[in-house]
Structures are given as C-alpha cells and as structure tokens.
Amino acid sequence: MIKINSNYLKLQGSYLFSEIARLVKEYQEKNRDKKIIRLGIGDVTEPLPQSIVGAIKKAADEMGVRESFKGYRSDEGYEFLREKIKNHDFSSRGINIDIDEIFISTGAKEDVANIQEILSADSKIAITDPVYPVYIDSNVMAGRTGDFKNGRFENVCYLDCLESNNYIPDLPKEKVDLIYLCFPNNPTGQVATKEILKKWVNYAKENKSLIIYDAAYEAFITDPSIPKSIFEIEGAKEVAIEFRSLSKTAGFTGVRLSYVIVPKESRAFDENGVAHSLNKLWNRRQSTKFNGVAYIIQRAGEVVFTKEGREEVDKIIKYYLGNAKIIGEGIKKLGIRYSGGVNAPYVWLKTPNNLSSWDFFNKLLSECQVVGTPGVGFGKCGEGYFRLSSFGKREDVEEAIDRIQKLSL
Ligand code: PLP
C-alpha cells in the first residue's frame, strides 16, 4: 500500500496569501464599484528594465540559431553570470567568494526549502517568529517538527522577534543545529548590524550549528554600515550558507533567478563528528536533481550586474523605498508604531486599539479597501501586528495612506 508523507497532515490551513486572495475576491464580488488597493503580497509591480528585456530577446534569438543554440549545460550556472555575481556582490565588498561557491537557481523559495535535504532529518531547528512561512512549512514536510499545538509546532526552537527586543531575536537558550535568519527581514523590515550577526556566527561556531542566511532583500539596504552579506563577518564562511534572489532586486518574481552561496569551508558533521563540506554535498544534490536555469534567464540576470542594468534596477529599488517612506511617515502621523520602511520594502505596524491582526485586516478592507497582511499569519508573535508592502504604484500607495488617515482608528 502506497502511503503519503504524513508530515503533510501536520501543515496548517491554506497558505496565508491564498486566504487573503480569497477574502479580497469575495469582498470585490460583493462590492464591484469599490477600488481595492493591494499592499499585501510581497510581489513586485514595476515592469522589467529595458536592458533586461533586451537581453532576453537577444538570448532567445541565439537559441534559434544552430551555432549559438544551447542545450543542457552546467547545473551550477554559466560562468559569465557567476563571475559577475562574484565581482559585483562580493569582491566589491572585500569578500572572497570563488565562482564554484555560487550556485545559480530558480528561486530563493525553493533553495531555502531544498537545502535541508543535505542536512540530517533530526536537526533541531531555530526559527524566528514572525517568519517567512516557507522556512517552517518546509521543515514540517521534512518531518523535523512535532505536531501543531497552541499556535506552534512542537520540537522547534522559536526565536521571538518582538517590539521589546527591536525584532532582533535573542540567542537560543538551548542548543540548536539549524538557524534561519533573514535580514532585511520579511515581515518586520528590521535589519541586522555587524555586531548582531557576529553574535550569531559565534553561537554557530560554539555549537557546531549552521545558519541559513536569507538575504533576498539585501538590495534595499542603503545604510553603508549595515552588512549586505553574512560573509562580511569574519569566520561566517564556516557556519553559514547565504541565499540571494533577483526577485525583489530586479523584478524577477515572474522570471525566476536566484543564487546560493555555499562556501567550501561550510560544514556539517556525520554521526562520528567528522566534518563534511556542504559545498560538495550541495553540488552533488544539484547535479542529481537539477538541470540548471534557462540560458535566456541567466543572460537576463547577467545584465543586473552590469553598469547599465544596475542603474535601471537601482531606480526601481529607490522607487519602492520611496513608497515605503510614504507608508512609514503616513502611519507615524496617526501615532501608530512601526518598524522597517527604511533599508527594507516592508512596514510592520502595531495595530491601533490593540485590534487583532485579522480584525485590522477586515477593517481596512471593508472601510477603506486597502489590503495588507495580518501579522499573525507569520507566526504567533505577529498577532496584533500588520504588514504593509511598498510594492505598488506610487499613486496607489499615496491614496492608500490617505484613505487610512481618514479612518476613525
Ligand atoms: N525569502 C524571503 C524572505 C521572501 O520574502 C521571499 C519572497 O517573498 C523569498 C525568499 C522567495 O524569493 P524567490 O522569488 O526568489 O523564490
């Protein structure tokens, strides 16, 4: 008898954003005359820069000519792209990363989920709360957690990110093996200083743990004192793997291109305590289960690391950061406390009058037709909080803030 992976039965409800989409659709069907402004889902809204579109067209043409046609190629990605990433993202910041430590892939979502495969199923995980839901759900699927009880999965070390600790989690009180960190953070918009990351690197060294560092939003960091990579911290290469994506950096959410940095020094241990290179294991995993990203898309990605492409991409990042500023300043005028909005595309706010996250969601949807994301959807500690995203048209963001300001809160 074929059996299911019963860990899937532990998963909770429908995915947060599907639930929001359902509620918004239901509301719109009943209120066809109302214009809804969506600042909920973290999807980009600006079109691809022209230099990237040009590269896609050119590469598509190459594929139609015998001499330049490409079939299967290296699973880790083309050297032309990895070389540019190495220079642009790392060498320029004094970080020494070799191109065979860079693995090109189709998205940070799948990368952060897939990486667990090379790690022991009984690894004890530490996850922030609130959190990008993929970290926890993918570990549930892999059987690393117990059942869901009182709003949390058993056998997980939750790292509370609260207003009182400025959304920077304390080090775990217990010994953990695998730690998920994301800065700039989704959903809180918080960033980590070098001192904070140093503490985590030291913890990982002392406890022989591994840090999964999600830097999907690094392009939004404008403060030069904030690290863009965990590898800016001495010794981090031994204890961390970094995940990057062009989704938010360059509008690739529908194009799909990401990259994982697995340093040769990064290690995990076998049952006898012998260290093994994670770079080798990840290479082995990818060459078995992945046949690389489309040539056309890698050519598109390459442009992001050229002067022309970067200028266009930076303009878009500035535009979103401008939106974030409008959201932050707008809600501040209402006396609402918030984090993020600078160095990050998200604003994480305390709901007024201690409304629950979903009550505030319903209030905004029904009274001013603005859609945000209920904080509790990101974890228990998100209850009473709400996320507004800066991905949207400027005039929509301005109108949304204007509408919220006119509400009686
Ligand atoms: N990591 C974080 C923290 C995210 O918020 C997201 C998307 O919203 C992703 C990863 C997924 O990125 P990608 O589009 O590269 O799969």
Side-chain angles (χ1 to χ4, degrees), residues 11-206:
L11 292 166
Q12 295 305 295
S14 65
Y15 188 58
L16 171 66
F17 295 105
S18 325
E19 179 63 6
I20 294 171
R22 191 187 64 77
L23 291 169
V24 172
K25 188 165 171 253
E26 206 174 278
Y27 177 85
Q28 186 77 87
E29 274 164 10
K30 285 190 196 138
N31 302 273
R32 291 186 184 277
D33 56 322
K34 300 267 202 268
K35 182 193 165 197
I36 293 175
I37 301 179
R38 292 160 209 268
L39 301 179
I41 193 161
D43 197 355
V44 294
T45 47
E46 290 301 292
L48 287 175
Q50 280 312 304
S51 55
I52 295 174
V53 174
I56 292 174
K57 287 181 180 164
K58 184 165 173 274
D61 284 343
E62 282 178 48
M63 293 295 273
V65 175
R66 183 175 304 281
E67 288 69 30
S68 49
F69 169 76
K70 309 271 184 307
Y72 290 134
R73 280 291 145 83
S74 88
D75 326 305
E76 311 93 63
Y78 283 96
E79 285 193 11
F80 64 75
L81 176 58
R82 291 192 289 157
E83 196 64 54
K84 288 222 169 48
I85 291 172
K86 167 188 151 90
N87 293 332
H88 182 276
D89 283 9
F90 299 103
S91 306
S92 66
R93 298 184 76 83
I95 307 166
N96 188 16
I97 295 286
D98 285 341
I99 69 160
D100 52 1
E101 295 175 307
I102 301 172
F103 296 81
I104 309 296
S105 182
T106 51
K109 185 181 199 176
E110 45 269 46
D111 291 338
V112 290
N114 288 338
I115 197 81
Q116 309 160 34
E117 220 180 284
I118 61 168
L119 303 166
S120 165
D122 63 4
S123 308
K124 174 90 182 185
I125 59 166
I127 287 189
T128 56
D129 178 351
V131 73
Y132 174 55
V134 174
Y135 309 152
I136 184 78
D137 283 357
S138 57
N139 272 289
V140 173
M141 292 170 177
R144 276 196 195 87
T145 73
D147 289 329
F148 191 72
K149 290 208 178 127
N150 303 320
R152 285 186 161 177
F153 286 96
E154 292 173 324
N155 196 32
V156 172
C157 172
Y158 284 94
L159 306 168
D160 293 351
C161 297
L162 311 162
E163 237 179 301
S164 56
N165 61 15
N166 207 15
Y167 305 106
I168 299 291
D170 296 335
L171 294 174
K173 306 233 171 351
E174 57 190 309
K175 232 171 146 58
V176 298
D177 305 311
L178 186 58
I179 301 156
Y180 285 79
L181 294 180
C182 171
F183 292 111
N185 188 263
N186 175 16
T188 67
Q190 187 52 283
V191 288
T193 60
K194 279 193 177 159
E195 291 66 39
I196 289 164
L197 292 185
K198 205 168 179 342
K199 274 207 287 191
W200 283 97
V201 167
N202 289 343
Y203 173 92
K205 279 191 172 190
E206 277 160 29

Side-chain angles (χ1 to χ4, degrees), residues 42-43 106-110 112 132 135 182 184-186 214 216-217 244-248 252-253 256-258 346 387:
D43 197 355
T106 51
K109 185 181 199 176
E110 45 269 46
V112 290
Y132 174 55
Y135 309 152
C182 171
N185 188 263
N186 175 16
D214 188 341
Y217 296 97
R244 291 192 171 207
S245 166
L246 294 188
S247 281
K248 313 299 160 81
F252 273 46
T253 51
R256 312 305 298 149
L257 197 135
S258 61
Y346 299 120
R387 191 191 77 176

Side-chain angles (χ1 to χ4, degrees), residues 241-409:
I241 294 179
E242 184 164 300
F243 296 80
R244 291 192 171 207
S245 166
L246 294 188
S247 281
K248 313 299 160 81
T249 302
F252 273 46
T253 51
V255 179
R256 312 305 298 149
L257 197 135
S258 61
Y259 42 109
V260 186
I261 314 302
V262 190
K264 285 176 203 138
E265 294 98 310
S266 65
R267 80 313 169 238
F269 303 87
D270 66 20
E271 280 167 10
N272 301 316
V274 177
H276 294 262
S277 162
L278 291 175
N279 179 282
K280 269 195 190 154
L281 292 184
W282 184 241
N283 201 333
R284 187 72 179 82
R285 189 269 177 201
Q286 288 299 79
S287 59
T288 302
K289 293 198 173 181
F290 186 60
N291 254 339
V293 173
Y295 170 72
I296 297 170
I297 305 304
Q298 294 197 53
R299 279 293 182 204
E302 182 189 19
V303 178
V304 176
F305 305 97
T306 62
K307 191 168 173 288
E308 188 197 0
R310 202 66 201 187
E311 274 169 14
E312 287 190 285
V313 160
D314 282 348
K315 253 192 223 157
I316 299 175
I317 298 274
K318 249 195 189 155
Y319 178 83
Y320 292 135
L321 282 171
N323 287 349
K325 193 170 174 208
I326 291 168
I327 298 170
E329 286 176 356
I331 59 167
K332 194 172 174 187
K333 279 197 190 132
L334 293 168
I336 293 175
R337 304 192 302 274
Y338 73 96
S339 73
V342 280
N343 298 309
Y346 299 120
V347 171
W348 180 251
L349 60 97
K350 175 76 195 87
T351 59
N353 302 320
N354 281 328
L355 284 178
S356 77
S357 298
W358 279 108
D359 282 349
F360 191 59
F361 171 89
N362 286 322
K363 185 176 173 69
L364 288 194
L365 178 61
S366 60
E367 294 180 21
C368 70
Q369 295 76 50
V370 172
V371 178
T373 312
V376 71
F378 297 99
K380 210 173 176 175
C381 292
E383 178 56 286
Y385 290 82
F386 200 74
R387 191 191 77 176
L388 288 174
S389 150
S390 66
F391 297 118
K393 278 199 278 185
R394 177 63 49 87
E395 46 287 21
D396 283 349
V397 168
E398 283 168 346
E399 192 180 332
I401 292 304
D402 193 47
R403 289 188 196 174
I404 295 173
Q405 284 178 336
K406 286 186 182 133
L407 283 183
S408 62
L409 292 168

